[in-house]
């Protein structure tokens, strides 16, 4: 088991976001997590059931998103990130594993120079949120169109048979 | 009438095969405009719906138009943000979707209770028209081959109307010295990519099993209207409310499995690093996972518990609405509703497991194809299920019907056992084959 407070673990699972009651409500980061989920009490710990990790067939909230991009965009994306990750092949007997390099800042300063000119996207946060809000409004219809219709099924059945009889 | 639902589901499964590649070719904005134009037109016809055939045809058209909006939206989020920044945007999309699930049946029930059912389509028309206007005026194209990172100048339909009025907006970040981007070519290969997955044994087993579960959930959901109306004498407004436990279950199941899957993945990574004595700072890539990573076991570990609850709840469900002596008891309605909650939660958890598994297994071209393929199979299964459930209910009573569905699931359990024991071998065989093909083709090109 890794350390419970290793950031990657804490972010990705609910069961280990256990925080002592005393810490949950007395520290700033405890309060910050309050809005994230549903809680369960257990001993002197409060376990939080995070609502931020939800499986959705349409959205695919795993870490696979960036795979869809082309190699070109991938390069662009990597270049805009501050930290470089170096892919390493472990030959045929070993698995392919990516290892994050811990290069000194001077090590990638050459890379950074060309990157500053090319951010991943130029919209500022306000424009991005406006875009996502419109897209979200558009996304409503997929669930709405199907489900709004369900409670009316009986009536539509009646109407249609009447109509068919009349015509 | 279940026929309209069947038609809707079939079209819903097939349409994403086309919208996905089109949104990569024509651009997100263009595709959304076409989608909503189609949707608004079909809603106009539906709000008159003079006869049943027209209702079915235009309901199908409505379904075809709207089937991919969420995927196109998610693609736009990917266009404008890096994986690290996407969480907030996805949370918004997800929250909106959850809220819609809960509001939609209540709204539909209330509308058709106190007004003509055609008013539903008038509401949909008005809402869609608003969104269409918002898209036309405010939404810029984001497809990266056309808009780059937002600096390439947009022309024609790709430009939001508001950018044309110099008073309101400027063409924000556009660098007019650059050439407008070109859309990439369209090949039939992209349309067929999801279908190529159906040649793989382990993926087919996954899709088969989860689609069956999904179809059963859909049968429970769609039959709710007629069953609850006749058993509990509910009117439409109350029927709309009766869907709430079901959809709350859907949301709960997805949330539960999202957390469990993340937890299992973290745990499996830790174990994998320990076995291979890798440093704990090593980052194991999600796509593709190493060949000796126990993907199937990591994903399927939660299935037995979920499945047991699902089968029990499903088998009991029919009997709780069968006997008049029981259903006339005060408050009895909460028991079938509770079972619906469990059925919905478990069904969506199981489907979530399998969809994640399929996207792990088909790591070659990203996850878009995996999502489209499972939507296709699921919707087709659900369409068949909805078509037959009414017939079965007429032939045998409610209790036996849902007990029989529970038995069907039990019969399918060996599928999971096969996958647990042989899935890993099939996957490694396939990946070895792909590796060989890639090697030989690169050798040929050299």
């Amino acid at each position: 088991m890794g350390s419970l407070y290793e950031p990657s673990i804490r972010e990705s699972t609910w069961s280990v976001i256990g925080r002592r009651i005393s810490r949950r409500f007395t520290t700033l980061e405890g309060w910050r997590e309050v809005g994230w989920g549903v809680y369960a009490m257990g001993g002197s710990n409060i376990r939080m059931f995070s609502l931020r990790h939800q499986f959705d067939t349409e959205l695919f909230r795993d870490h696979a998103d960036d795979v869809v991009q082309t190699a070109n965009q991938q390069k662009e994306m990597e270049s805009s990130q501050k930290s470089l990750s170096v892919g390493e092949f472990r030959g045929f007997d070993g698995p392919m594993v990516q290892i994050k390099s811990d290069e000194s800042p001077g090590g990638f300063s050459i890379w950074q120079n060309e990157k500053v000119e090319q951010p991943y996207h130029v919209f500022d946060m306000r424009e991005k949120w406006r875009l996502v809000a419109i897209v979200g409004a558009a996304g409503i219809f997929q669930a709405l169109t199907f489900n709004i219709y369900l409670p009316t099924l009986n009536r539509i059945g009646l109407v249609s048979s009447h109509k068919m009889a009349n015509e | 009438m279940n026929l309209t639902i069947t038609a809707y589901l079939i079209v819903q499964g097939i349409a994403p095969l086309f919208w996905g590649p089109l949104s990569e070719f024509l651009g997100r904005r263009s595709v959304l405009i076409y989608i909503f134009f189609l949707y608004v037109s079909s809603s106009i016809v539906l709000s008159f719906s003079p006869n049943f055939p027209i209702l079915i045809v235009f309901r199908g058209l409505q379904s075809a138009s709207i089937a991919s909006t969420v995927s196109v939206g998610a693609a736009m989020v990917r266009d404008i943000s890096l994986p690290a920044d996407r969480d907030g945007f996805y949370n918004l999309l997800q929250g909106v979707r959850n809220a819609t699930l809960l509001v939609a049946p209540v709204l539909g029930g209330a509308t058709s209770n106190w007004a003509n059912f055609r008013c539903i389509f008038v509401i949909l028309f008005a809402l869609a028209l608003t969104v269409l206007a918002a898209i036309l005026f405010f939404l810029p194209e984001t497809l990266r081959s056309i808009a780059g990172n937002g600096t390439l100048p947009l022309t024609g339909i790709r430009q939001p109307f508001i950018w044309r009025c110099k008073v309101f907006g400027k063409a924000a970040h556009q660098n007019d010295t650059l050439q407008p981007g070109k859309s990439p070519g369209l090949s039939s290969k992209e349309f067929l990519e999801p279908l190529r997955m159906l040649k793989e044994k382990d993926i087919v087993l996954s899709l088969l099993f989860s689609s069956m579960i999904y179809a059963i959930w859909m049968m429970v959901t769609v039959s709710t209207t007629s069953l609850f109306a006749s058993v509990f004498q509910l009117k439409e407004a109350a029927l709309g409310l009766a869907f709430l436990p079901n959809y709350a279950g859907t949301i709960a199941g997805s949330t539960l499995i999202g957390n469990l899957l993340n937890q299992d993945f973290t745990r499996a990574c830790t174990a994998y690093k320990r076995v291979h004595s890798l440093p704990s700072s090593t980052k194991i890539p999600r796509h593709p996972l190493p060949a000796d990573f126990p993907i199937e076991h990591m994903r399927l570990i939660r299935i037995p518990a979920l499945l047991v609850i699902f089968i029990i709840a499903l088998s009991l469900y029919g009997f709780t609405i069968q006997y008049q002596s029981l259903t006339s008891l005060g408050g009895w309605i909460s028991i079938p509703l509770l079972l619906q909650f469990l059925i919905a939660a478990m069904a969506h958890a199981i489907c979530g497991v399998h969809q994640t598994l399929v996207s792990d297994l088909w790591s070659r071209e990203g996850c878009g194809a995996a999502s489209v393929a499972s939507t296709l199979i699921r919707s087709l299964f659900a369409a068949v299920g909805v078509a037959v459930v009414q017939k079965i209910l007429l032939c045998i009573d409610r209790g036996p019907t849902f007990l029989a569905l529970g038995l069907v699931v039990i019969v399918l359990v060996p599928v999971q056992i096969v996958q647990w024991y042989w899935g890993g071998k099939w996957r490694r065989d396939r990946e070895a084959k792909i590796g060989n093909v890639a090697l030989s083709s690169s050798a040929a090109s050299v």
Side-chain angles (χ1 to χ4, degrees):
Chain A
M1 248 338 255
S3 157
L4 288 187
Y5 286 95
E6 193 179 305
S8 66
I9 294 185
R10 274 193 43 205
E11 277 163 25
S12 60
T13 120
W14 57 277
S15 66
V16 287
I17 316 187
R19 206 181 260 286
R20 294 190 75 85
I21 296 175
S22 53
R23 299 247 310 144
R24 162 81 57 203
F25 297 111
T26 52
T27 61
L28 203 59
E29 71 264 43
W31 275 108
R32 206 169 288 147
E33 289 170 5
V34 161
W36 287 1
V38 184
Y39 297 89
M41 296 273 284
S44 62
N45 277 332
I46 293 188
R47 291 203 156 177
M48 190 170 74
F49 186 88
S50 171
L51 292 177
R52 311 199 329 157
H53 298 284
Q54 189 176 343
F55 183 86
D56 190 303
T57 52
E58 306 292 340
L59 292 178
F60 257 103
R61 307 188 38 145
D62 54 20
H63 316 291
D65 299 325
D66 40 334
V67 188
V68 194
Q69 293 162 343
T70 63
N72 197 12
Q73 290 161 345
Q74 192 75 29
K75 207 178 287 169
E76 196 180 306
M77 194 186 82
E78 271 173 23
S79 61
S80 67
Q81 276 173 324
K82 288 275 155 65
S83 69
L84 290 170
S85 72
V86 179
E88 197 181 82
F89 242 105
R90 301 219 139 196
F92 270 86
D93 43 347
M96 192 170 103
V97 176
Q98 283 206 333
I99 296 179
K100 246 198 175 143
S101 72
D102 291 314
E103 284 181 70
S104 63
F108 56 80
S109 63
I110 315 153
W111 290 69
Q112 262 183 327
N113 282 345
E114 24 186 2
K115 288 149 204 183
V116 177
E117 293 161 24
Q118 275 200 353
Y120 183 74
H121 207 274
V122 291
F123 283 6
D124 61 29
M125 262 340 232
R126 237 186 87 183
E127 284 164 305
K128 284 185 183 175
W129 275 111
R130 188 166 61 196
L131 189 147
V132 175
I134 296 176
V135 161
I140 285 178
F141 288 87
Q142 207 169 319
L144 186 66
T145 310
F146 182 76
N147 294 307
I148 199 172
Y149 182 79
L150 286 180
T152 68
L153 281 177
N154 294 333
R155 186 157 299 211
I156 288 171
L158 281 178
V159 170
S160 64
S161 48
H162 274 252
K163 283 271 168 185
M164 306 256 256
N166 290 344
E167 282 164 12
Chain B
M1 277 309 256
N2 285 355
L3 199 52
T4 54
I5 301 271
T6 302
Y8 189 97
L9 287 170
I10 292 175
V11 178
Q12 186 186 50
I14 296 170
L17 285 173
F18 300 97
W19 287 125
L22 281 179
S23 85
E24 300 286 335
F25 168 64
L26 298 170
R28 324 283 189 208
R29 175 179 154 88
S30 313
V31 160
L32 279 177
I33 290 174
Y34 299 145
I35 282 176
F36 274 90
F37 182 73
L38 263 181
Y39 188 89
V40 167
S41 325
S42 56
S43 298
I44 294 177
V45 178
L46 282 172
S47 46
F48 297 106
S49 37
N51 59 40
F52 197 55
I54 285 192
L55 183 70
I56 292 189
V57 169
F58 281 86
R59 191 70 184 150
L61 192 62
Q62 203 175 33
S63 163
S65 62
I66 213 67
S68 289
T69 40
V70 176
S71 328
V72 175
M76 287 188 97
V77 170
R78 286 198 295 271
D79 285 339
I80 60 163
S81 59
L82 289 166
D85 308 325
R86 283 176 199 157
D87 254 14
F89 299 137
Y90 279 155
N91 280 334
L92 180 88
L93 295 187
Q94 190 116 51
V96 164
R97 196 182 126 81
N98 289 346
T100 313
L101 277 181
L102 295 177
V103 170
V106 179
L107 183 64
T111 311
S112 81
N113 197 14
W114 288 297
N116 190 311
F117 81 93
R118 293 180 181 82
C119 289
I120 286 176
F121 299 119
V122 179
I123 294 175
L124 292 180
F125 162 76
L127 290 174
L129 197 62
T130 315
V131 172
L132 178 60
I135 291 172
L136 284 173
F137 278 93
F138 298 111
L139 192 74
E141 179 59 61
T142 62
L143 181 64
R144 290 185 76 85
S145 57
I146 293 174
N149 64 353
T151 46
L152 298 185
L154 300 175
T155 52
I157 192 178
R158 286 159 186 167
Q159 197 177 26
F161 290 168
I162 193 135
W163 287 8
R164 295 189 190 175
C165 317
K166 299 280 180 265
V167 191
F168 294 110
K170 52 189 167 73
H173 316 280
Q174 290 187 16
N175 184 344
D176 289 327
T177 57
L178 295 173
Q179 284 291 313
K182 279 212 182 81
S183 61
L186 189 65
S187 69
S188 59
K189 190 172 156 284
E190 284 168 59
F191 289 107
L192 298 176
E193 169 70 16
L195 300 179
R196 278 172 49 211
M197 298 173 63
L198 304 180
K199 287 191 303 194
E200 307 298 335
K201 278 177 286 203
D202 47 349
I203 290 177
V204 167
L205 287 188
S206 244
L207 292 181
L208 179 79
F209 189 81
S210 61
S211 301
M212 205 57 215
I213 301 284
Y214 181 83
I216 288 173
W217 168 74
M218 188 59 91
M219 289 156 94
V220 170
T221 307
V222 171
S223 63
T224 302
T225 317
S226 61
L227 288 182
F228 276 54
S230 62
V231 174
F232 297 102
Q233 279 86 44
L234 297 182
K235 300 194 72 173
E236 271 99 345
L239 276 176
L241 293 173
F243 280 95
L244 285 181
N246 191 336
Y247 286 119
T250 301
I251 296 168
S254 309
T255 311
L256 173 77
I257 207 61
N259 283 284
L260 290 181
L261 287 172
N262 280 337
Q263 190 184 8
D264 291 344
F265 183 66
T266 316
R267 194 176 288 158
C269 284
T270 315
Y272 183 84
K273 284 179 214 161
R274 201 190 308 115
V275 171
H276 290 264
S277 46
L278 295 166
S280 64
S281 59
T282 313
K283 221 167 156 28
I284 295 179
R286 177 82 171 62
H287 281 265
L289 284 160
D292 59 345
F293 200 89
I295 301 178
E296 289 80 12
H297 293 193
M298 168 181 77
R299 295 303 185 202
L300 294 178
I301 188 82
R302 304 286 179 184
I303 291 284
L306 300 172
L307 210 49
V308 167
I309 303 178
F310 181 74
I311 292 171
I312 294 175
L314 182 64
S315 310
L316 290 178
Y317 171 68
F319 292 105
T320 60
I321 47 176
Q322 177 157 19
Y323 305 108
Q324 175 104 53
S325 54
L326 289 176
T327 53
S328 55
L329 294 175
W332 180 262
I333 192 172
S334 57
I335 292 178
L337 289 181
L338 177 72
L339 290 176
Q340 279 203 358
F341 176 88
L342 288 175
I343 292 171
M346 295 306 124
H348 281 83
I350 294 169
C351 289
V353 167
H354 278 285
Q355 188 140 8
T356 312
L357 178 59
V358 168
S359 86
D360 288 336
L361 294 175
W362 193 255
S363 49
R364 270 189 287 169
E365 318 265 331
C367 57
S371 164
V372 171
S374 29
T375 309
L376 173 68
I377 304 297
R378 257 181 358 172
S379 302
L380 294 184
F381 270 60
V384 175
V386 167
V388 298
V389 70
Q390 206 76 355
K391 301 265 183 292
I392 306 177
L393 280 169
L394 285 178
C395 295
I396 52 179
D397 215 344
R398 292 150 205 156
T401 301
F402 292 99
L403 180 64
L405 290 177
L407 290 177
V408 168
V409 179
I410 293 176
V411 169
L412 284 174
V413 164
V415 169
Q416 297 293 274
I417 298 173
V418 167
Q419 218 179 351
W420 178 273
Y421 287 106
W422 285 280
K425 187 180 164 297
W426 290 339
R427 167 168 56 91
R428 279 185 283 277
D429 287 351
R430 175 176 61 239
E431 274 164 14
K433 209 166 68 187
I434 294 167
N436 286 341
V437 170
L439 277 180
S440 59
S441 68
S442 67
S445 66
V446 166

